[in-house]
Amino acid sequence: RKKYNGPAPEPRQAFMMAYDNKRKRAVLYGGIAGEKRFSDTWEFDRKVWRKVSDDGPGHRMAAGITYDSKRGLVVIFGGMSEGGSKNDMWGWNGKDWKRIAETGPNARSMGQLAYDKSRDRIVMFGGRFSWPNDANDTWEWDGVSWKEIKMVGD
């Protein structure tokens, strides 16, 4: 087992991390450590960590994250920031963060995202509106807009 020596993100929790399959890098964004809030983006290519941006969705923690292979974007939705929960959506293309949706499902943190490649949809389930109010809903984003998916019996 090798010990890694070199620059790396500061210790933190509630960060977002996904693997960019096209660029072959793990992408880490945001998080919190005590009173310190992070808005930095780091990438790891299996050899070194590189800080690649200080711009983007602002100080953010506990957002949903996934990799959209059709668009080549690491995508985040929601999360906690100054002023509370968010319901915006951002994409990282390896150079810049760009807002890709202004609105969507109700603002929340900890919503879980996954990309369904066969249907070209980002699927989100649940999350937390506020303590102890958790979401129990499912949404899909088709690259243009969000749509709630009602379950049988709802």
Side-chain angles (χ1 to χ4, degrees):
R1 187 168 163 170
K2 293 181 182 179
K3 182 175 179 182
Y4 177 77
N5 291 315
E10 293 177 55
R12 60 189 75 193
Q13 62 184 5
F15 57 88
M16 291 68 65
M17 191 167 166
Y19 186 71
D20 180 330
N21 196 48
K22 180 180 177 185
R23 297 175 49 252
K24 307 292 187 223
R25 286 168 168 66
V27 178
L28 179 145
Y29 182 77
I32 185 172
E35 295 297 316
K36 188 167 186 178
R37 311 279 193 258
F38 295 98
S39 59
D40 52 354
T41 305
W42 289 77
E43 293 185 343
F44 184 70
D45 65 4
R46 297 187 62 195
K47 295 179 183 163
V48 297
W49 279 103
R50 287 186 181 88
K51 187 175 186 178
V52 293
S53 179
D54 278 318
D55 295 325
H59 300 122
R60 183 109 21 158
M61 60 188 151
I65 189 167
T66 193
Y67 177 69
D68 179 333
S69 60
K70 180 176 181 182
R71 291 165 191 81
L73 297 174
V74 171
V75 175
I76 66 170
F77 175 83
M80 294 290 295
S81 190
E82 293 85 4
S85 294
K86 301 290 185 183
N87 73 331
D88 54 356
M89 192 169 180
W90 293 76
W92 170 254
N93 63 12
K95 295 180 183 177
D96 302 298
W97 283 102
K98 293 195 184 307
R99 189 182 308 232
I100 55 178
E102 295 283 336
T103 61
N106 293 343
R108 68 192 67 203
S109 59
M110 299 184 283
Q112 298 301 306
L113 300 183
Y115 179 66
D116 180 343
K117 185 176 181 178
S118 66
R119 296 183 319 114
D120 185 29
R121 299 283 189 275
I122 291 177
V123 180
M124 179 177 70
F125 175 76
R128 174 155 290 164
F129 298 128
S130 63
W131 176 257
N133 302 310
D134 292 335
N136 188 27
D137 52 358
T138 303
W139 291 80
E140 289 185 344
W141 188 69
D142 63 7
V144 176
S145 62
W146 284 100
K147 178 182 176 184
E148 185 173 10
I149 306 303
K150 297 287 188 179
M151 300 294 129
V152 176
D154 282 353

